[in-house]
Amino acid sequence: MFYHVKDLQYNARVSKPDPAFATLLLEQFGGANGELAAALRYFGQAFGARSPFPDKYDLLMDIATEEFSHLEIVGATIQMLLQGINGDLKKAADESEIMQLLDGKKAKEQFIHQALVAPQFLTTSGGGPAYTNSQGVPWSAAYINGDCNGDLTVDLRSNIAAESRAKITYEYLLQFTDDPYVKDTLNFLMTREVAHFQMFEAALDSIQPNFPPGVLQSDPRYSNLYFNMSSGADVRGPWNEGESTQFGETWQFINDPIKHVLETNGLLNVQPEGTERTLEGVSQLDQDLSQERSEEIKMAVPIGVNVWSQSEKELEDQSKPSGSRKKSSTKK
C-alpha cells in the first residue's frame, strides 16, 4: 500500500529558470542510473526476497519507496527550472510572451537552442519532465531487467554498483549548475546514494556465506590463477600476488599462459596449488549448500495456501534462517 504525502522528502528550490540544466537533470529522472530505474530495480528485487529474506524485503521496499520520493524531487526541480514555458506554450494563437521578451533574433535562437537539447519540453511534455534521459531516449526496462537476478547476494552487489553510478552522476551534475538551491538538492540526493550503498553492503554481509554468489563453489584448480595475458612491463599487485580477498588462496602468476596451457593439456591436468580447498571438499559443499538453501526456501514458502501480508511476529520468525549460516563453510 502506497500513501502519497504531498510534501517532498527534501524541500527542493531553484533560484531561476534554467532549461539547459533541466535537460541535463533528465538523466536522473529517466536515465539508466536515475531515480526511476533505482526505484523499480529495488521494487522488483523485493518480490523474490519476500519469503526467504523478509528482513531484506523490508529493506528493499523501504529504499525503493524512498527512490520514488527522489524521483519526485528530481521531477519537481526540473519543473521549476522550466517555469514559464508551459504557460507561454498555451498561447497558441499568438507569439508567446517569453519570445517577445527575448528581444532580437540571437537571444531567441539561444533560448530555443537551450530548450531543444530536450525538444520534448516544447513539443510533447509542455514544459514538464519526461521519462527520457538527457538525450531524449525513452526510459527502458532494459536498464534494470538484469538486476533482478533471483539470487539476493547477486542483486545486492548490483545495487551497490548502481548506487555508486548514481552518486557519480550527481557529482558530475553539480559541476554544471551555479544555482545554490539546486546544488543543495543535488547534494542531498547524492548523499542518500552513499547511505544506500552502506545499507546494501551491510545487508549483503548479513547473508553468510555470500561468496561465491549463488550455491555452486568455484573450482580450486582455477580460482587463484592469474594469467599474464599482455606483453610489456608486468605489474604485480594484490590482484595477482599474495592472498586472494575472499578465499585467502595464494595467487599463482602464470607468466607464460601459452606454455602453461600446452603443458597442462588445455588446463585439464592442472592440480590445485596455493589453496587448502580440494575438489572433494568443494563437491561436498555444493551438496550441503544446495540442501540448505533449498530447505530454507521450502520452509519460507510452503506449498498450499499462501498469504502475502503477515504480522511483524511472523516476519521475524521467518527471517531467522537467513542469519544462521556460517561463513566458515566457504573454506572447505
Side-chain angles (χ1 to χ4, degrees):
M1 178 175 64
F2 287 86
Y3 182 85
H4 180 252
V5 177
K6 297 177 180 63
D7 292 331
L8 296 179
Q9 181 190 21
Y10 184 86
N11 194 11
R13 301 170 294 169
V14 304
S15 298
K16 58 185 182 301
D18 189 347
F21 188 72
T23 299
L24 292 179
L25 195 52
L26 276 174
E27 199 63 39
Q28 290 303 84
F29 193 75
N33 298 312
E35 303 295 353
L36 177 62
L40 293 179
R41 175 186 295 113
Y42 309 147
F43 189 67
Q45 291 172 352
F47 288 105
R50 173 62 175 80
S51 292
F53 296 99
D55 50 344
K56 311 307 186 299
Y57 169 84
D58 185 56
L59 167 74
L60 288 165
M61 277 298 187
D62 282 345
I63 297 181
T65 304
E66 184 179 356
E67 300 290 13
F68 279 120
S69 75
H70 293 175
L71 180 69
E72 186 177 19
I73 292 170
V74 173
T77 302
I78 291 172
Q79 185 69 56
M80 289 187 289
L81 290 171
L82 295 171
Q83 58 186 282
I85 292 179
N86 186 275
D88 284 331
L89 288 174
K90 296 298 182 286
K91 294 187 176 181
D94 303 299
E95 186 178 35
S96 63
E97 291 179 6
I98 197 166
M99 288 305 176
Q100 295 174 18
L101 290 172
L102 291 170
D103 185 26
K105 182 179 180 181
K106 183 176 180 181
K108 187 178 295 186
E109 288 178 347
Q110 176 65 21
F111 177 82
I112 294 172
H113 171 73
Q114 288 182 334
L116 286 183
V117 178
Q120 59 269 34
F121 288 157
L122 298 183
T123 59
T124 56
S125 72
Y131 291 104
T132 73
N133 67 9
S134 57
Q135 295 179 308
V137 179
W139 189 89
S140 170
Y143 293 154
I144 62 170
N145 280 340
D147 295 327
C148 300
N149 187 275
D151 185 288
L152 191 57
T153 67
V154 177
D155 289 348
L156 289 171
R157 286 183 168 89
S158 178
N159 296 353
I160 290 169
E163 294 294 328
S164 301
R165 293 193 300 270
K167 190 270 184 185
I168 292 298
T169 302
Y170 279 121
E171 190 170 316
Y172 291 157
L173 284 168
L174 279 163
Q175 300 179 51
F176 292 97
T177 178
D178 296 323
D179 191 320
Y181 293 151
V182 174
K183 281 181 175 288
D184 286 345
T185 298
L186 297 186
N187 183 67
F188 165 76
L189 294 168
M190 181 188 73
T191 300
R192 292 307 297 163
E193 309 295 351
V194 177
H196 293 165
F197 178 108
Q198 296 175 93
M199 295 173 196
F200 288 132
E201 192 175 42
L204 175 63
D205 189 60
S206 73
I207 303 173
Q208 297 295 343
N210 65 41
F211 186 86
V215 171
L216 297 180
Q217 301 300 294
S218 60
D219 192 317
R221 294 175 296 175
Y222 314 121
S223 58
N224 61 339
L225 301 184
Y226 182 90
F227 293 99
N228 184 28
M229 303 293 278
S230 56
S231 61
D234 297 329
V235 178
R236 303 301 297 270
W239 53 88
N240 61 21
E241 65 180 357
E243 292 188 350
S244 61
T245 59
Q246 297 291 331
F247 288 138
E249 299 172 324
T250 302
W251 287 112
Q252 306 297 301
F253 188 84
I254 311 300
N255 188 51
D256 190 340
I258 296 176
K259 179 182 178 182
H260 186 76
V261 167
L262 292 175
E263 289 179 346
T264 59
N265 189 24
L267 300 181
L268 293 179
N269 299 334
V270 169
Q271 296 299 317
E273 289 186 42
T275 177
E276 296 179 359
R277 297 194 308 138
T278 65
L279 290 171
E280 294 76 13
V282 163
S283 178
Q284 185 61 52
L285 189 54
D286 284 346
Q287 295 180 39
D288 293 345
L289 275 179
S290 295
Q291 184 68 22
E292 180 181 337
R293 296 289 172 89
S294 177
E295 289 178 358
E296 286 179 1
I297 300 297
K298 289 178 180 178
M299 288 175 59
V301 192
I303 302 300
V305 177
N306 271 282
V307 59
W308 192 260
S309 297
Q310 295 176 298
S311 69
E312 188 172 335
K313 177 67 166 59
E314 290 173 318
L315 292 176
E316 287 178 358
D317 292 341
Q318 216 169 331
S319 68
K320 289 178 182 177
S322 69
S324 63
R325 301 173 188 145
K326 293 181 173 57
K327 190 169 187 177
S328 59
S329 59
T330 61
K331 298 294 184 181
K332 286 187 179 180

